[in-house]
Amino acid sequence: MSEATDLLALLQRPLEPTFLPKDDGKTVIDLPDEFLTDRYRPIGAELQSRFSNDAEQRIPVRQGAMPDLSFADGIDRRGAFSLFIPKHRDAAAALINLFIEQPDVPSLMSVGAYCRDRLNAVLFQYSMAVAVQHREDTKNVNIPSVVSLFPDQFVDPAVFPKLREEGAVVQQENRMVIDIPPNFTASDREDEQRMAYFREDIGVNMHHWHWHLVYPGDGPDAVVRKDRRGELFFYMHSQLIARYNSARFCAKLKKVRHLTNYREPIVEGYFPKMVRSSNNRSYPARAANISLQDIDRIDNGTIVSVSDLERWRDRIHEAIDQGFVLDKEGNRIALDEVRGIDILGDVLEASSLTPNMQLYGSLHNMGHNVISYIHDPDYRYLEDYGVMGDVTTAMRDPIFYRWHGMIDGIFRRHKDLLTPYTAQQLGNPGVTVSSVGVQLSRPNTPANVLLTFWQRSQVDLAAGLDFGPQGNVFASFTHLQHAPFAFRVEVNNESGAVRKGTLRIWLAPKADERGTVLSFREQRQYFIEMDTSTVTLNPGMNTIVRRSDQSSVTIPYERTFRAIGTKSVPTNADQLAQFRFCGCGWPQHMLIPKGAPEGVQFDLFAMVTDYEDDSVEQELDPNAPCNDAHSFCGLRDKKYPDRRAMGYPFDRRAADTVRTLDDFVSPNANMKTATIQVKFNNTVIART
């Protein structure tokens, strides 16, 4: 592992030359002179001796073949890099392939060290991270938090001069924490600013980046072709929209209006107030009431028209209505109830797994591009893409949710054509859920009331401050948080024998922004998954308690915001296991909607299904780290651990006679609901 962890030194301070010290000045990478760039090769000996005298660790890089990097021609080292731009995706796929095909870790270190100073920093970081996570000999190396490497993608740039000043002037033990102001992109005159705490949350945006890191759309087939990948693309993004709409109702805002008309002006504007550290250029703003335009970008070869988007959308609609897609040879691939949603996910994204790129195009990715270049569609003003062009920043813009709402609507068009679940598919004979509720972890608190508030936390940004101070440099930020709580479910096993089941817990708003009670047809679109777990049911009554921090959707703060560098790596074996490959998952602090000071009512739903109908045949290590966010991220190197459709039982329409949630639940003894309240306390509490 020591050789493998040496790779982490390549990921630090991405824009600094590789020969500069890493790990707070304690580690130096010894490069062959031939690996130095043209600028530094003439003075290589002086540089290497000057920066390595005080190093505690030296990482030797062996002389190896210097690969042809022409696949990245035209992608400036200090320019922007986007996974939505075809040329950039192709370059990333080639680089991932180059890293994965290296025969051993020293060879990977050698090729990586050569590439690092010659390629775009984000392209290198992304490709190396994907390769490290998918190689057998490196997959247990932790990938550092992207916010610590590229803080410019997440943080108000006004804090960077303060951080550098503090780090340059003050010794490490006396440095102050620099505060990142919350909600800095607009005033309260803009209604959408009520959702800034969600859209601009660092953990939310890091989740989106890390999910696309685990599920890249292009690259070696073995890396892209993961179990039910297309379906997970649908489900994860669908849950983002459901969570966002639930939060909007709490803020007295109406549900997201899907971007179904590509010709009408987009009424919402967004001014990101962010600067790319690579070239010190700001992310362009998107003014209100601008219409989408045809894109002809000579800088990176992105050419797409609005009519392309419309044509691809219409062809996908036609395929859904006909019940099949056509592959490149004209063969029909059925969109059935088992594989249909998975195939549609590959088509809509579109990943390299799409069966017919020529016919169905790349609706999701190119839509991101058309929106992200709305301010400069033909490169007239030499401007780069806006925040919608980058997976680390896209969720900041209100238009992300309108665009993905439209994408989700296409998926639901397919789902709504499926036959409603039968009583047999929903039931679990012999199992009765008697009650479900929530309870705060503090004593003497009322049942079925949850509490949210603001919390101030800290993140170490030193590893991303290129040419900045050594040592830790902390910034504090304010985010939503909830008081710890537990789900409590009473289940009666009437079969007389021990049985296994799957406990599924969901939450949905009872009413919209006006307080109008939602029908079941409307409400099922807003159910958010809270937890899914395997339970053992003894004969008779069973009490199941699941803490909020055990959710199958989330990862804890310590993993969302884990730092980089030698000091941050745990030494305890169990803690170290949790530190690795653990960045994928919804942030725990955003598990429940914000609520409101007066309280917002939600329907809590619990269901126990038969494990025999849910289980997937595969060997699982019960002690494997980071399986706790499998609902959004799956299991590493394994099949998705639930045979049911993602979103079950709310992914399909119900019979016309089902008008309310009670109508849906009452025929099924293995289901139960309760009404809970989420109360928001407008106070800020520092993380201890």
Side-chain angles (χ1 to χ4, degrees), residues 289-306:
N289 297 307
I290 298 183
S291 298
L292 300 180
Q293 301 179 62
D294 297 346
I295 305 301
D296 184 7
R297 297 284 300 200
I298 59 172
D299 55 322
N300 55 39
T302 302
I303 301 173
V304 60
S305 67
V306 177

Side-chain angles (χ1 to χ4, degrees), residues 2-12 18-19 22 27-32 35 57-65 67 98-100 102-117 124 128 131-132 135 137-138:
S2 60
E3 283 185 338
T5 54
D6 288 347
L7 294 165
L8 293 177
L10 293 176
L11 298 179
Q12 296 182 44
T18 303
F19 57 74
K22 308 294 186 284
T27 299
V28 165
I29 300 173
D30 285 330
L31 294 176
F35 279 24
Q57 178 191 14
R58 304 180 74 94
I59 301 175
V61 175
R62 71 186 186 194
Q63 175 76 54
L98 174 66
F99 289 156
I100 283 185
Q102 296 308 306
D104 50 41
V105 173
S107 300
L108 176 60
M109 185 73 188
S110 174
V111 169
Y114 178 79
C115 294
R116 186 183 184 278
D117 291 339
F124 174 82
M128 178 60 77
V132 164
R135 287 177 60 105
D137 53 2
T138 60

Side-chain angles (χ1 to χ4, degrees), residues 36-214:
L36 296 173
T37 59
D38 294 342
R39 170 66 186 92
Y40 296 119
R41 195 175 301 127
I43 53 175
E46 174 199 339
L47 291 172
Q48 301 249 21
S49 61
R50 177 173 141 207
F51 288 113
S52 63
N53 289 338
D54 298 328
E56 298 175 9
Q57 178 191 14
R58 304 180 74 94
I59 301 175
V61 175
R62 71 186 186 194
Q63 175 76 54
M66 292 178 278
D68 177 12
L69 303 181
S70 58
F71 58 78
D73 286 350
I75 305 177
D76 188 67
R77 170 161 164 71
R78 287 188 167 272
F81 171 80
S82 169
L83 289 173
F84 297 121
I85 296 173
K87 180 179 179 179
H88 292 192
R89 282 169 69 101
D90 292 344
L95 188 56
I96 292 167
N97 209 48
L98 174 66
F99 289 156
I100 283 185
E101 67 186 13
Q102 296 308 306
D104 50 41
V105 173
S107 300
L108 176 60
M109 185 73 188
S110 174
V111 169
Y114 178 79
C115 294
R116 186 183 184 278
D117 291 339
R118 290 167 172 82
L119 296 177
N120 178 276
V122 184
L123 165 63
F124 174 82
Q125 294 273 338
Y126 169 78
S127 303
M128 178 60 77
V130 171
V132 164
Q133 291 198 334
H134 290 87
R135 287 177 60 105
E136 281 297 318
D137 53 2
T138 60
K139 66 181 184 180
N140 287 328
V141 175
N142 89 86
I143 299 300
S145 158
V146 66
V147 72
S148 69
L149 300 176
F150 295 102
D152 54 304
Q153 311 280 56
F154 303 92
V155 172
D156 179 0
V159 305
F160 294 138
K162 300 175 185 176
L163 290 169
R164 286 195 168 92
E165 178 183 352
E166 189 72 16
V169 176
V170 182
Q171 292 296 315
Q172 182 169 330
E173 59 273 11
N174 295 318
R175 287 175 187 166
M176 291 176 56
V177 176
I178 306 300
D179 188 47
I180 302 169
N183 297 358
F184 60 90
T185 51
S187 73
D188 58 8
R189 295 179 66 182
E190 170 56 56
D191 286 344
E192 290 296 325
Q193 190 62 12
R194 297 181 213 166
M195 296 302 298
Y197 78 91
F198 187 110
R199 291 185 285 101
E200 296 172 0
D201 183 84
I202 295 176
V204 165
N205 284 274
M206 286 174 61
H207 158 74
H208 192 232
W209 172 83
H210 207 109
W211 190 92
H212 283 277
L213 192 74
V214 176

Side-chain angles (χ1 to χ4, degrees), residues 281-282 284 297 299 373 375-376 379 381-385:
R281 299 271 294 273
S282 63
R297 297 284 300 200
D299 55 322
Y373 285 124
H375 55 282
D376 191 10
Y379 202 46
Y381 304 109
L382 308 181
E383 284 288 334
D384 249 316
Y385 55 77

